[in-house]
Amino acid sequence: MMLQPQILLLREGTDTSQGRGQILSNIGACTAIVECVKSTLGPRGMDKLIHVGDKATITNDGATIINLLDIVHPAAKSLADIATAQDNEIGDGTTSVVVLAGEFLKEARELLEDGMHPRVVIRGFREACQKAVGKIRDIEHKVNAADTKEFRELLINCAKTALNSKLVSSYKEFFAEMVVDAILKLDADLDKSMIGIKHVKGGSVTNSFLVDGVAFKKTFSYAGFEQQPKKFENPKIIMLNLELELKSEKENAEIRIENPEQYQSIVDAEWEIIYQKLDKIVQSGAQVVLSKLPIGDLATQYFADRQLFCAGRVPIEDLQRIAKASGGQILTTVSNVPAEALGSCAIFEEVQLGGERYNIFRGCPSSHSATIVLRGGSEQYIEEAERSLNDSIMIVKRALKNSNVVAGGGAIEMELSRFLRDYSRSISGKQQLVINLFAKALEVIPRTLAENAGFDAIEILNKLRQKHSVGGVEGRWFGVDIKNGGICNTFDNFIWEPSLVKINAISAATEAACLVLSVDETVKAPKNEQEVTAAEKALAARGRGRGRRF
């Protein structure tokens, strides 16, 4: 009997696994990630404490949790990708998209274990997703943007809904107004970077406030700073990307001299250069001098003697916001400074906030910037409050661009589930079963909301199914009533979400599930010779031959 030759196709130590078992293994890894974040969903969701190095983070934001988890499984990383994409594109719904993707995979597992081909499941999921998105667009509520009062109410309700599940939910009315006011100050581009969020430890969270302009923490200062005035009305502001220190000239040039007596003339020339720069700044008419680079002790005292305010090492993002808000430009030279390059504001002042001092620019002419100053008892609380406000800001931003909304609290998912169940009965073949399971998976959102609130999820789901089976406007907006432990018309209770959030969440979750289902083999190659040697020893220890037989 002849032995089959051994053919080595892959590098020694390469680990491969394939087939239906590999797909099920990938689904299991994704399910483990989902179970980690599932309990954070909803207004009564729990928080997670993640300890990385010396830093501990307390949060219930899905994207933050998944990014802080050091996920090594290649298939499970796809869930981290969709959470990050949802966070970047929409800003909210990161937990929902992960939970939905996990539930789609969980339902697909049953079909695969029964022998259905993954491509059949993928085709059915994509068809169901397309039908669900079409249904959302059919039933979404369109708000008249021309009605200023109604439109502002829409934005505030969307902001409060986004804050419902956050750490600052007890202050959602307070922060919702703040978020809407900040967004409405932006220009048509709605550039989120023009909204600054600053942390000030100490005081109550209700001491937080919105600055109509720009605020940043006092930068490092030299002697003479305290002699400068700390408040101006209608000042001219010059913004520089220029170092105003004596050392800059002598370090940026190489000079060779033959006579040591010439050294004094070089030193005098350096002083002359820096004084010329400072004199040109004063002649420009500016009263507030800001620079991305350091402003040294000589310049600080020079400005103080002439009743000017200066701040060096200003963070570039703050400097850019000041430039855009004040109507000025960031300059790299002080020669021939044009008047239009100077910015202005109604009031500039330096104020004490907690243990820090802040420079605040109010009443800027363009009014396309705002700063939210967050107060709180601990840095962890403030950081989580910032993540909460970030979600709310992104939701309001999307609602401002797309004024169509749907009801939250699991109402839209239950309506889509009912619609897809009815649609599945109108078709035949395996797709009927796949679409029906897709509809069942959508119920995970209201079920999880109820479970996280400590309610009887089965009873609530049965009531919701009965209400939505009626059809029409009367039943389509019923969702989970978190306050009273039953069901309610969440639309009438102003629990609104932009329809774009749900469309993006369902589409992204479906694509992630289809991606995992389409992978039937994983190949892991060793990175270096040490790993190859270790793999050879492991194979030898198990008594296996070298190479792979095909």
Side-chain angles (χ1 to χ4, degrees), residues 17 19 95-96 128 139 223 234 256 288 328 335 355 366 407 412 414 479 481-483 489 501 522:
S17 52
T95 304
S96 298
I139 66 176
N234 299 313
R256 298 181 181 182
V288 177
S335 300
S366 65
I412 185 64
M414 288 301 299
D481 184 0
I482 297 296
K483 289 185 178 179
N489 189 318
V501 176
T522 300

Side-chain angles (χ1 to χ4, degrees), residues 26-69:
N26 290 340
I27 293 175
C30 294
T31 303
I33 298 297
V34 174
E35 291 301 321
C36 183
V37 300
K38 194 173 182 180
S39 62
T40 67
L41 184 67
R44 299 292 184 267
M46 306 298 287
D47 294 339
K48 304 292 182 183
L49 192 154
I50 303 173
H51 193 267
V52 179
D54 295 332
K55 183 175 177 60
T57 303
I58 300 175
T59 181
N60 69 350
D61 181 68
T64 303
I65 294 171
I66 287 185
N67 288 332
L68 288 176
L69 295 175

